[in-house]
Amino acid sequence: MEKDSALQPDAASRGERDDERGLQPRDLSEFQGQEAVLAPLRLMLRAAKGRDEPLEHLLFTGLPGLGKTSLAMALAAETGKPLRMTSGPALTRGKDLVGILSQLERGSILFIDEIHRLPTEVEEYLYGAMDRFQIEWTFDQGVHARLLKLDLQAFTLVGATTREALLTPPFRSRFGHHLRFEPYSNEALIGILARSASLLQTKLELAAAQQLAEHSRGTPRVANRLLRRARDLAQLENQGCIDAAIVTKTFSLLDIDTLGLERPDRRILQALADAQGGPLGLKNLAVVVEEDEDTLADVYEPFLIRRGFLLRTPQGRVLTPSGWRAIGLNPPAAQHESAS
Ligand code: ADP
């Protein structure tokens, strides 16, 4: 199955991932948009600095590509403290975590991506580390069992998740602040694209930036991927200048239609249409479109829902009348009437 899409998290080649790194904001002043997240964060930073204390533990929630990792990196740059990055699935045993925690310097930022996928055993070790900067673990079993305690340097845990609801209440309550990332406005995306274009040493016309922003689903990662593809074409066909014609051609090469739908989006809508508009459970839909459930729920569906093409109902996913029309089909008569 064809998987190449500007949206596919794993479609990025190694070179593209390196490029993505090069485009990341280096500090808070370069981090654009997300004012609702940045304003309280700046306040916390000033207050913590005044008290000469590390920042409180932070939980970043939001869809993939909205800048959670970038913001953790910018925070580390801002505080001048070391950043240690890992992810929930990478920490399989308590021992892995103890190794990382014991090496943290005072004020370090420990970033755990996909924190909702942390195994329960590891999560429980984190509780003491978060509350008291101390880890306790039982060594040996039965009558020989001993409780060992390890004091840690005060650090800041930054957890990132696309699924806040999957975190247990005791874990969630240990984060001093929950910061919710929202999709970016087109204006903010235009700003991000302009910065990225200048880093890539490419000329980007305003009309082209507007078009790219409109098709970026409110997500800087998508905006930067579309930009890189447009840059390749511009380099070959337009002396490196991205104008509206180059963007239109890029969209057509990527098979992105006028509604901004990509192949996987259309496949999802078509699968629902084939099931008479649904409802279809996430598992079934994932099997039919050959995507994994998380990618379907976190990457594709939010955009289709925001555009009003798909609904999540307790019975499953349902195609709306606009969803039928988006793939050139007429909604069934009953649905058509109830929607009008
Ligand atoms: P997440 O961790 O939420 O999945 P990332 O931080 O990895 O998202 O962001 C993906 C890419 O998007 C980054 O490499 C960066 O180039 C770009 N990006 C994200 N947020 C911003 C922002 N606010 N300003 C500029 N670029 C951003």
Side-chain angles (χ1 to χ4, degrees):
M1 169 158 304
E2 183 58 83
K3 286 271 188 185
D4 185 31
S5 144
L7 303 175
Q8 269 296 330
D10 53 3
S13 64
R14 178 168 297 283
E16 278 189 330
R17 267 184 247 125
D18 289 346
D19 263 0
E20 190 167 85
R21 239 169 266 145
L23 299 180
Q24 258 156 350
R26 278 165 302 189
D27 55 31
L28 284 189
S29 68
E30 290 189 1
F31 195 92
Q32 307 190 45
Q34 298 298 341
E35 260 319 302
V37 167
L38 288 192
L41 202 54
R42 286 204 187 93
L43 205 72
M44 280 180 249
L45 267 172
R46 277 220 310 275
K49 202 167 173 189
R51 293 192 300 264
D52 194 24
E53 279 176 9
L55 272 177
E56 284 180 70
H57 304 306
L58 303 170
L59 183 64
F60 291 173
T61 59
L63 296 172
L66 290 185
K68 300 181 293 299
T69 311
S70 304
L71 186 56
M73 294 168 81
L75 266 182
E78 203 73 29
T79 55
K81 299 290 184 188
L83 171 69
R84 178 73 208 255
M85 304 182 88
T86 182
S87 75
L91 295 168
T92 49
R93 294 163 310 162
K95 225 171 92 188
D96 301 332
L97 181 72
V98 175
I100 292 177
L101 290 174
S102 60
Q103 286 169 21
L104 296 179
E105 290 174 26
R106 183 177 158 79
S108 297
I109 293 179
L110 171 62
F111 178 74
I112 306 185
D113 202 8
E114 295 187 83
I115 198 157
H116 59 277
R117 294 177 63 191
L118 207 61
T120 318
E121 179 214 349
V122 182
E123 178 183 319
E124 282 164 6
Y125 275 116
L126 256 186
Y127 289 177
M130 291 173 80
D131 296 344
R132 305 181 298 281
F133 302 118
Q134 199 173 62
I135 345 179
E136 295 178 357
W137 79 97
T138 321
F139 199 65
D140 249 335
Q141 286 180 339
V143 284
H144 302 294
R146 277 166 298 154
L147 187 69
L148 294 182
K149 284 189 187 170
L150 177 68
D151 289 324
L152 307 169
Q153 297 293 330
F155 69 98
T156 300
L157 175 65
V158 178
T161 179
T162 49
R163 304 279 179 89
E164 189 180 353
L166 295 184
L167 258 60
T168 59
F171 195 16
R172 218 178 309 160
S173 68
R174 284 182 158 85
F175 291 92
H177 287 273
H178 296 197
L179 298 167
R180 219 157 257 123
F181 287 60
E182 299 293 340
Y184 290 66
S185 64
N186 282 353
E187 291 71 50
L189 288 171
I190 290 171
I192 291 171
L193 284 161
R195 173 178 171 273
S196 300
S198 104
L199 289 171
L200 295 171
Q201 298 180 332
T202 303
K203 191 162 176 279
L204 174 66
E205 292 190 353
L206 183 60
Q210 273 160 349
Q211 254 179 304
L212 288 170
E214 273 163 26
H215 286 72
S216 297
R217 303 165 182 242
T219 309
R221 173 173 293 142
V222 178
N224 282 339
R225 288 225 178 113
L226 294 176
L227 177 73
R228 277 193 301 268
R229 285 170 164 83
R231 175 191 59 163
D232 293 343
L233 201 64
Q235 196 182 314
L236 298 172
E237 298 192 359
N238 205 28
Q239 282 118 40
C241 172
I242 304 176
D243 58 15
I246 288 287
V247 173
T248 306
K249 196 159 178 193
T250 305
F251 290 162
S252 130
L253 284 173
L254 290 173
D255 204 4
I256 300 176
D257 67 19
T258 48
L259 295 169
L261 295 176
E262 297 208 17
R263 246 171 288 146
D265 301 312
R266 290 193 294 270
R267 229 166 33 226
I268 293 164
L269 300 181
Q270 187 62 52
L272 284 168
D274 292 344
Q276 282 76 51
L280 210 56
L282 177 66
K283 256 196 182 61
N284 286 335
L285 188 58
V287 171
V288 179
V289 299
E290 297 182 41
E291 289 289 350
D292 79 46
E293 289 175 41
D294 285 354
T295 308
L296 193 60
D298 294 342
V299 178
Y300 297 111
E301 282 190 349
F303 170 72
L304 296 173
I305 293 170
R306 271 207 311 280
R307 292 295 304 267
F309 297 148
L310 181 149
L311 287 177
R312 278 182 192 156
T313 71
Q315 290 74 37
R317 275 59 178 172
V318 172
L319 194 60
T320 65
S322 336
W324 284 92
R325 287 188 209 102
I327 46 171
L329 299 172
N330 281 326
Q335 210 186 10
H336 192 66
E337 276 158 26
S338 66
S340 55

